[in-house]
Amino acid sequence: GGGGGSAMAEGEALVSVDYEVFGKVQGVFFRKYTQGEAKRLGLVGWVQNTSHGTVQGQIQGPTARVQELQEWLRKIGSPQSRISRAEFSNEKKIEALEHKDFQILK
């Protein structure tokens, strides 16, 4: 037998996580900046405004990159936004990406 490591480094397992960001996050180009940051990190998923004044979506990609975007969603956001908190849920390992790119949903 003989194990042999997998081709992907440990931090490179793919994960999927849902998020919702609370605060002043609508009407401040939050979705556009989130899309830009996700693309810069090579992540896929989506972002949309909700009817109750938050922004929500899903991120998929390598664990380390997803964590970077989570930090960005918690602390930075778009220049005019004021984030009170970000909540993450349904984090799970995935075999393959379920989205082709990172989209802004209406």
Side-chain angles (χ1 to χ4, degrees):
S6 73
M8 291 214 291
E10 193 40 57
E12 296 299 299
L14 296 176
V15 295
S16 172
V17 65
D18 296 343
Y19 63 89
E20 186 167 8
V21 186
F22 299 79
K24 186 191 171 197
V25 293
Q26 290 192 4
V28 291
F29 301 104
F30 197 91
R31 292 170 301 168
K32 184 170 178 258
Y33 276 87
T34 301
Q35 181 188 49
E37 190 67 12
K39 288 191 164 175
R40 188 181 73 79
L41 290 167
L43 300 171
V44 301
W46 52 273
V47 59
Q48 69 178 18
N49 285 343
T50 70
S51 57
H52 50 276
T54 66
V55 168
Q56 68 176 16
Q58 187 175 71
I59 318 163
Q60 295 186 348
T63 307
R65 298 287 178 90
V66 168
Q67 285 169 348
E68 277 188 61
L69 189 60
Q70 286 177 301
E71 280 300 292
W72 186 91
L73 287 166
R74 263 195 204 101
K75 296 179 179 161
I76 301 169
S78 68
Q80 294 167 297
S81 66
R82 283 210 250 310
I83 300 164
S84 56
R85 71 183 195 276
E87 292 182 357
F88 301 98
S89 57
N90 300 329
E91 189 164 328
K92 58 181 191 281
K93 284 199 166 144
I94 53 174
E95 295 299 311
L97 299 174
E98 296 160 8
H99 307 283
K100 282 203 266 301
D101 51 20
F102 198 94
Q103 290 183 304
I104 296 174
L105 302 183
K106 296 283 180 250

